[in-house]
Amino acid sequence: MNKKDITSPPVLYTVREVAELLRVHQRTAYRLITGGSIKAIKIGSQWRVPESALLEFINSGWQEPEPEDQSKPGPTQYKLPLE
């Protein structure tokens, strides 16, 4: 057997581990998995999430902060009469 033929199995996370890593409730993690937001495989009756799928989900959620546009005027303020 050649060393190139041996591949290490992927790291698979349980729903509970995904929830802990994302710091969300288990039910939320389960919904993300069954809804297809996080790619997963079902083994028997249990879901497993490959590490690469979890990282892909996390990376897809990163949003670049929008630069503040100084050219947009703010809301116009009116002075109310105090009389």
Side-chain angles (χ1 to χ4, degrees):
M1 189 175 218
N2 191 353
K3 280 190 175 183
K4 288 196 294 188
D5 295 338
I6 301 173
T7 59
S8 60
V11 175
L12 298 175
Y13 293 111
T14 63
V15 174
R16 177 179 288 166
E17 291 170 328
V18 169
E20 289 172 3
L21 289 167
L22 295 178
R23 295 182 177 189
V24 296
H25 194 275
Q26 274 185 281
R27 201 172 307 136
T28 302
Y30 182 80
R31 287 181 186 144
L32 289 169
I33 292 166
T34 57
S37 295
I38 299 176
K39 295 177 186 173
I41 58 172
K42 196 166 190 181
I43 302 173
S45 63
Q46 299 187 3
W47 287 98
R48 294 294 182 265
V49 177
E51 183 178 34
S52 60
L54 184 58
L55 292 174
E56 180 182 318
F57 171 76
I58 293 169
N59 287 329
S60 71
W62 286 116
Q63 295 180 359
E64 294 296 321
E66 293 183 20
E68 293 183 22
D69 189 5
Q70 299 297 332
S71 64
K72 289 183 183 177
T76 305
Q77 291 186 347
Y78 296 101
K79 291 186 179 183
L80 298 176
L82 297 176
E83 301 173 357

